[in-house]
Amino acid sequence: MHRRTILKHLALAAAAPAALSLTRLTAAREAPLRVIVPFPPGGGTDVLGRVIAATLEGALDRSVVVENKPGASGMLGADYTANGAKDGSVLLFAGLVPSVRYYARPPEEVLKQLAPVCPIARSPYMVAVNSDLPAKTLAELVAQAKREPKGLTFGSPGNATPQHLATELLQAACGIDMLHVPYRGTGPMMTDLLGGQIQLVVATVAAVEPYLKSGRLRVLAVTSRERLPKYPDIPTVAESGYPGFDAQIQFGTYCAAGTPEATIAALNQGINRALQTDAVHAKLAEQGFQPTGGTPQQLQQALLSEIRDVAGLVKAGKVRVDL
């Protein structure tokens, strides 16, 4: 074979892997961005996830598809993302700790499975009870719970979910012990609260608000340090006799560990652009959320801090982790 022909073939062979890699990256950018919500439709996580996803289409200049993958208190959605493509085409939308699987492991283990992308928003919880419950204030609820240990039941979207953990923190602060009833998401939990099968939930404003006007629920307190501007007549837990109490759910986005830093940076920039728009601020405010935004490093530090904090509840036996 002619020397030039041989050199040409060698050059093409050497360029093939790089060309293939470039083709794959281009295909990943052109493919729809799949936003994974690890809970059923209708809950606070789903509502917020869809608001963000709708705005990301313009910010990233690509189509975005929301997929609900509920189950095992967030494990299924988190594991699906962690085991998925490492090209930024799958984005998990979840609370700071995206899966109970991580509570029983050293915090740094999380980073071997999921890469933080961007902090999204935070929201206080509402302590809501069925309107048939006699308690009109948090103090009255605490008094009833102390008279009837395990006599009152509270629901959560699943074992070790942020709502469950917030309720356990509330119980610890108030010195009460209620019976936990885990559900497969916020929707079924709220249905049973309305029906009287459970008496109390600690849930996001987005989950509780639709039922307030009907009078079927009563909010005894909010868990933030300050009252909500939208509901100035509802006291905080701190004002109700438990100074310093503060529990809020924080959301962030994650992709599979091993995703290139440049891809994560591009996603982060797009999400931050979306969060800075007036439209997103208005939509999030309607649902009781406050946009945060920030860097992957900020989300990582918040994530590791929360895992360490929650580990105390796990060790105390207040939260069971099924691996």
Side-chain angles (χ1 to χ4, degrees):
M1 184 180 293
H2 195 277
R3 182 172 178 274
R4 286 186 179 178
T5 303
I6 294 174
L7 291 176
K8 181 179 179 181
H9 281 290
L10 288 174
L12 289 173
L20 181 59
S21 176
L22 180 61
T23 299
R24 286 173 178 169
L25 288 174
T26 302
R29 286 195 296 267
E30 292 176 351
L33 175 65
R34 299 165 61 202
V35 175
I36 306 301
V37 175
F39 293 99
T45 304
D46 180 67
V47 170
L48 181 56
R50 291 180 183 276
V51 169
I52 298 301
T55 311
L56 280 180
E57 289 203 347
L60 296 174
D61 193 26
R62 65 189 292 188
S63 60
V64 179
V65 178
V66 176
E67 297 182 15
N68 294 88
K69 293 190 178 296
S73 300
M75 283 188 192
L76 296 186
D79 286 351
Y80 180 86
T81 304
N83 295 325
K86 303 180 187 301
D87 57 10
S89 63
V90 179
L91 195 66
L92 176 69
F93 183 89
L96 269 188
V97 179
S99 167
V100 298
R101 184 183 300 278
Y102 304 126
Y103 292 137
R105 298 180 179 181
E108 291 72 15
E109 286 292 315
V110 181
L111 304 180
K112 295 180 180 179
Q113 297 178 286
L114 292 170
V117 175
C118 189
I120 295 293
R122 63 174 177 263
S123 170
Y125 298 102
M126 286 181 157
V127 182
V129 298
N130 181 284
S131 57
D132 291 335
L133 197 71
K136 300 294 192 297
T137 65
L138 183 60
E140 291 177 359
L141 174 76
V142 170
Q144 181 177 348
K146 288 185 175 180
R147 290 194 304 268
E148 310 169 20
K150 296 289 187 184
L152 294 179
T153 56
F154 74 90
S156 78
N159 179 54
T161 53
Q163 293 86 338
H164 177 203
L165 301 173
T167 313
E168 293 293 353
L169 291 173
L170 179 67
Q171 290 201 102
C174 298
I176 58 177
D177 188 15
M178 298 181 290
L179 182 65
H180 177 216
V181 180
Y183 289 85
R184 290 178 58 85
T186 300
M189 175 189 76
M190 295 304 296
T191 297
D192 273 10
L193 178 65
L194 295 170
Q197 284 79 19
I198 56 176
Q199 284 79 50
L200 177 141
V201 299
V202 175
T204 62
V205 177
V208 174
E209 194 171 43
Y211 308 103
L212 290 182
K213 291 182 180 179
S214 67
R216 299 168 68 186
L217 298 182
R218 183 185 307 119
V219 176
L220 305 183
V222 294
T223 62
S224 50
R225 290 185 180 273
E226 298 178 352
R227 296 192 181 197
L228 302 182
K230 193 174 181 179
Y231 296 100
D233 295 332
I234 300 177
T236 65
V237 171
E239 290 175 323
S240 302
Y242 306 95
F245 188 88
D246 182 27
Q248 300 191 54
I249 187 170
Q250 300 186 64
F251 290 93
T253 51
Y254 308 82
C255 60
T259 299
E261 290 186 8
T263 301
I264 292 175
L267 288 170
N268 176 272
Q269 291 173 8
I271 294 171
N272 275 302
R273 282 197 300 270
L275 291 172
Q276 291 168 5
T277 63
D278 292 338
V280 168
H281 273 257
K283 289 179 180 178
L284 294 186
E286 287 176 5
Q287 302 294 335
F289 293 104
Q290 178 183 348
T292 52
T295 66
Q297 292 74 26
Q298 288 173 324
L299 177 58
Q300 176 176 315
Q301 290 306 311
L303 168 70
L304 298 181
S305 176
E306 181 168 291
I307 291 176
R308 293 187 182 102
D309 290 344
V310 171
L313 289 174
V314 176
K315 290 179 181 178
K318 296 295 184 181
V319 176
R320 186 185 73 256
V321 178
D322 298 319
L323 297 177

